[in-house]
Amino acid sequence: KNEVEQSPQNLTAQEGEFITINCSYSVGISALHWLQQHPGGGIVSLFMLSSGKKKHGRLIATINIQEKHSSLHITASHPRDSAVYICAVAPFGNEKLTFGTGTRLTIIP
Amino acid sequence: DADVTQTPRNRITKTGKRIMLECSQTKGHDRMYWYRQDPGLGLRLIYYSFDVKDINKGEISDGYSVSRQAQAKFSLSLESAIPNQTALYFCATGRAGDYGYTFGSGTRLTVV
């Protein structure tokens, strides 16, 4: 069983919809990352968080340490948000990341 | 210039050939990592280095070797490429005590 589980695996939505991607993990962590990967492209770090909530533009990331769960929200989704979103965690005492398998998001105009 | 640069971006090679993927960074980070990405799987760690003289195997190091030529350069070699090493390879950097990562743009390797 993967230590990091993401849901859904695939998500298709209409432009303008509110998007939520979930990440659950099974170990104690020092930090959680949300990453974005466009088709054929590299990986970009969106957020790193260890508690609470962070916001950048239309993206919001939250984490509940007690429940071992994080969510990534996209408000007013746009076709350019179409990408794979990856959750990764740094377990306690370990700087090496463990990755989820990603959520493929497609926003239809 | 990108903070973490990988070369080449794409490569097609034949089974049995030796190939080197290169990674250089301008972040000044001491930690460098090589990951492999396959469809349907999360990124998996091949090798990592915490400084020039500290090289460690990751979870899937068989068939790979690395060299940390300088703090800024970390190369991944496939001594004798095989088709199941066809994948997208990423280099990443980080700093001691900081959990932030910076990724390169990836190298798409095809072994035929």
Side-chain angles (χ1 to χ4, degrees), chain A residues 22-90:
Chain A
N22 297 297
C23 176
S24 296
Y25 51 93
S26 58
V27 297
I29 65 169
S30 298
L32 181 143
H33 294 253
W34 281 104
L35 309 168
Q36 181 190 57
Q37 183 178 22
H38 281 286
I43 294 173
V44 174
S45 179
L46 297 175
F47 296 103
M48 182 178 70
L49 64 168
S50 55
S51 65
K53 175 180 175 179
K54 287 190 176 181
K55 184 176 189 291
H56 185 256
R58 294 180 295 106
L59 275 59
I60 303 165
T62 64
I63 188 168
N64 185 318
I65 294 294
Q66 287 73 29
E67 295 186 2
K68 295 186 169 60
H69 181 269
S70 176
S71 293
L72 176 68
H73 305 287
I74 304 175
T75 62
S77 59
H78 189 277
R80 65 175 174 266
D81 297 325
S82 298
V84 175
Y85 292 84
I86 302 169
C87 173
V89 301

Side-chain angles (χ1 to χ4, degrees), chain B residues 8-9 11 19 23 26 39 43 55 61 71-72 84 103-104 108:
Chain B
R9 288 297 309 274
R11 179 74 181 266
I19 183 168
C23 177
T26 59
L43 275 76
I55 307 287
S61 59
Q71 188 192 39
N84 76 1
F103 287 85
R108 185 169 297 280

Side-chain angles (χ1 to χ4, degrees), chain B residues 46-100:
Chain B
I46 305 172
Y47 269 95
Y48 63 102
S49 170
F50 280 177
D51 65 41
V52 175
K53 295 183 179 179
D54 182 17
I55 307 287
N56 303 279
K57 293 182 177 180
E59 59 183 302
I60 53 163
S61 59
D62 287 349
Y64 302 94
S65 63
V66 292
S67 172
R68 185 88 183 260
Q69 301 96 322
Q71 188 192 39
K73 294 183 183 294
F74 193 36
S75 300
L76 177 71
S77 293
L78 286 67
E79 297 300 326
S80 180
I82 57 176
N84 76 1
Q85 291 178 312
T86 293
L88 189 53
Y89 290 84
F90 285 99
C91 175
T93 71
R95 193 167 47 202
D98 182 337
Y99 298 99

